[in-house]
Amino acid sequence: RGVDYDVFASSYYPYWHGTVANLTAVLENVADTYGKKVMVGETSDGRWTLAGGWADVNITPAESAVKEVQEESGYDVAVRKLAAVWDRTRQAHPVGLFSCCKMFFLCDLIGGEARASLETSEIGWFAEGDVPEDLSLGRVLPVQISRMFAHHRDRGLAADFD
């Protein structure tokens, strides 16, 4: 109906867009209204990060961690402990449009296999001294990864927080 585009692209964030069913309905409406194909794509900076994402409504933080690891890596995990809760704006991340707390969990691998997804291009396992330098600093910082290795070595450490 007069809209000049061939592909409509949209990022999906459960916090703003609700359920996947809701997003699908909205995008189908766009496709039907304008007679165009709809593509949902998430842009990325192409850098390494830990699996994670926004928590869905009515899912606990631990359940969200399990879901995000499975969706982004193909692996099944069980949460062992909460290792850290850090305010993103106080941790030297690049300045963003919003503030949030980031929760870091230690998990045990219980199954699955490496599988990239719409959100991830590759999956890698790295020893502490081999963590890539090209980290997605908006998502995770080198000092945060170092703390997760510390928690892995000493599972009795109390959760970090600021």
Side-chain angles (χ1 to χ4, degrees):
R1 302 193 190 193
V3 176
D4 186 24
Y5 67 83
D6 291 320
V7 176
F8 176 83
S10 173
S11 294
Y12 172 66
Y13 295 97
Y15 179 79
W16 290 292
H17 299 116
T19 65
V20 173
N22 179 62
L23 175 68
T24 301
V26 169
L27 295 176
E28 286 174 350
N29 184 27
V30 170
D32 293 343
T33 300
Y34 299 107
K36 302 286 185 175
K37 296 293 183 190
V38 177
M39 177 187 75
V40 177
E42 175 59 18
T43 58
S44 172
D45 56 12
R47 296 177 177 268
W48 289 97
T49 189
L50 301 175
W54 295 101
D56 292 334
V57 175
N58 295 323
I59 296 179
T60 69
E63 290 168 338
S64 292
V66 169
K67 178 183 77 70
E68 289 292 334
V69 170
Q70 209 293 317
E71 288 177 356
E72 294 182 7
S73 73
Y75 289 112
D76 299 317
V77 298
V79 171
R80 175 182 291 268
K81 77 174 234 182
L82 175 65
V85 179
W86 287 311
D87 184 315
R88 185 174 165 254
T89 58
R90 294 181 182 216
Q91 291 292 312
H93 288 278
V95 176
L97 297 175
F98 53 87
S99 179
C100 65
C101 286
K102 297 177 71 66
M103 300 175 121
F104 291 74
F105 294 92
L106 285 189
C107 298
D108 294 320
L109 179 65
I110 59 173
E113 60 185 45
R115 174 187 38 79
S117 71
L118 294 174
E119 298 177 72
T120 55
S121 59
E122 56 187 313
I123 311 303
W125 292 89
F126 301 99
E128 188 169 5
D130 297 326
V131 173
E133 291 184 21
D134 61 336
L135 293 176
S136 180
L137 299 178
R139 294 175 178 89
V140 68
L141 301 172
V143 67
Q144 294 168 331
I145 291 177
S146 292
R147 283 302 296 162
M148 294 308 101
F149 276 108
H151 277 274
H152 178 72
R153 283 189 302 274
D154 182 356
R155 306 230 173 160
L157 284 177
D160 297 339
F161 59 93
D162 51 14

